[in-house]
């Protein structure tokens, strides 16, 4: 899977992609990330990307031309990448994180991971974007009922939640375990403990030390 992230702040996104599970996944060739700097598509000698809103109002909006040019560039780059890999080019899914989007759930992460399609995530900034941009977007996604300063953190959340579901990214065992505890779109995970057996007066539940697999399973389900 290829994930292209369009952002004005690639330097904010890069460190996260270069650490953690996401780095391991790209190191193993299971995912390929590419950062596209929206500023490169800015207009004029000052590479302008924003302007004041029609009708008045506070703040600046991202202009449609740079955003759409960046999305079109990302699509072209993606098709080229697929051709080079001798794979059938397929239109990537264009995602736009916005507080006005549909609430993102585990089922969305599963759907995107299973779609066999690449992702383009467009990170808006400032007070918003020209609404006409949404014509170039497949899904508007809200990661929670709060407002952030930009789409970079939501983009990381989407990328992380999708990539961990790609087979081979997590240990097979762990992912299978999580799947079996999935109820109503929520990951229900039981509490877990590791050594030491006693920590500041707090003991690991006896059943987990019993070696009795059926009892452990029952306890975990109850939790
Ligand atoms: N941009 C700002 N806040 C956001 C949110 N809650 N979800 C997605 N994108 C956002």
């Amino acid at each position: 899977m290829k994930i292209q992230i369009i952002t004005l702040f690639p330097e904010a996104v890069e460190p996260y992609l270069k650490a953690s599970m996401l780095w391991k996944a790209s190191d193993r060739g299971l995912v390929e990330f590419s950062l596209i700097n929206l500023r490169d598509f800015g207009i004029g000698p000052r590479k302008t990307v924003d302007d004041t809103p029609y009708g008045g109002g506070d703040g600046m909006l991202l202009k449609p031309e740079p955003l759409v040019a960046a999305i079109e560039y990302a699509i072209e780059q993606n098709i080229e990448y697929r051709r080079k890999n001798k794979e059938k080019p397929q239109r990537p899914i264009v995602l736009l994180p916005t507080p006005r989007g549909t609430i993102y759930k585990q089922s969305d992460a599963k759907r995107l991971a299973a779609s066999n399609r690449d992702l383009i995530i467009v990170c808006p900034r400032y007070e918003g974007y020209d609404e006409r941009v949404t014509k170039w977007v497949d899904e508007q996604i809200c990661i929670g009922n709060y407002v952030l300063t930009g789409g970079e953190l939501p983009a990381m959340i989407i990328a992380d939640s999708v990539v961990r579901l790609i087979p081979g990214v997590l240990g097979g065992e762990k992912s299978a375990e999580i799947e079996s505890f999935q109820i109503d779109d929520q990951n229900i995970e039981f509490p877990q403990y590791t050594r030491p057996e006693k920590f500041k007066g707090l003991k690991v539940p006896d059943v987990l030390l019993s070696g009795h697999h059926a009892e452990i399973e029952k306890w975990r389900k109850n939790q």
Side-chain angles (χ1 to χ4, degrees):
M1 174 184 272
K2 188 172 169 73
I3 301 182
Q4 293 159 290
I5 300 173
I6 298 171
T7 170
L8 276 175
F9 299 96
E11 70 279 10
V13 174
E14 201 169 14
Y16 194 73
L17 301 180
K18 289 237 158 117
S20 76
M21 224 51 204
L22 295 186
W23 170 244
K24 270 197 194 153
S26 56
D27 198 41
R28 289 188 204 141
L30 299 169
V31 64
E32 184 175 311
F33 293 107
S34 124
L35 293 174
I36 295 170
N37 194 336
L38 181 60
R39 184 68 61 189
D40 294 342
F41 300 86
I43 298 169
R46 301 186 65 184
K47 296 279 175 197
T48 304
V49 293
D50 57 351
D51 207 339
T52 51
Y54 278 119
D58 283 341
M60 304 285 273
L61 298 184
L62 289 175
K63 292 168 72 58
E65 309 95 307
L67 279 169
V68 169
I71 294 170
E72 285 178 340
Y73 169 80
I75 293 172
E76 261 169 45
Q77 218 193 23
N78 181 277
I79 289 171
E80 220 167 88
Y81 161 85
R82 290 274 152 210
R83 278 223 184 92
K84 229 171 55 199
N85 286 2
K86 304 220 179 330
E87 289 160 349
K88 210 171 102 195
Q90 218 179 11
R91 203 181 178 284
I93 304 175
V94 182
L95 305 176
L96 179 78
T98 162
R100 286 197 284 130
T102 308
I103 286 281
Y104 188 67
K105 293 188 183 153
Q106 181 65 17
S107 56
D108 296 306
K110 275 184 159 182
R111 175 176 54 79
L112 294 171
S115 71
N116 254 336
R117 287 170 68 188
D118 299 318
L119 304 179
I120 296 173
I121 312 179
V122 187
C123 304
R125 270 272 147 179
Y126 307 138
E127 275 73 27
Y129 47 86
D130 186 294
E131 190 64 22
R132 288 168 289 187
V133 163
T134 58
K135 291 267 183 253
W136 280 261
V137 166
D138 298 305
E139 296 181 34
Q140 298 180 51
I141 291 178
C142 174
I143 58 145
N145 290 327
Y146 40 78
V147 181
L148 303 165
T149 56
E152 283 76 14
L153 289 172
M156 293 297 86
I157 286 170
I158 296 164
D160 192 289
S161 60
V162 170
V163 168
R164 68 182 282 286
L165 296 176
I166 297 173
V169 171
L170 297 183
E173 237 176 87
K174 173 79 177 157
S175 39
E177 188 180 275
I178 289 169
E179 296 312 303
S180 68
F181 282 87
Q182 205 156 59
I183 301 170
D184 289 343
D185 205 27
Q186 281 190 294
N187 266 336
I188 312 296
E189 275 190 88
F190 42 78
Q192 300 197 79
Y193 300 84
T194 184
R195 271 180 279 269
E197 220 177 285
K198 266 194 211 139
F199 171 70
K200 294 189 188 283
L202 302 170
K203 250 193 113 267
V204 173
D206 286 338
V207 61
L208 298 180
L209 308 172
S210 68
H212 199 299
H213 292 298
E215 284 299 312
I216 292 172
E217 214 39 39
K218 209 166 98 187
W219 180 86
R220 286 180 166 172
K221 284 225 164 90
N222 281 338
Q223 295 295 311

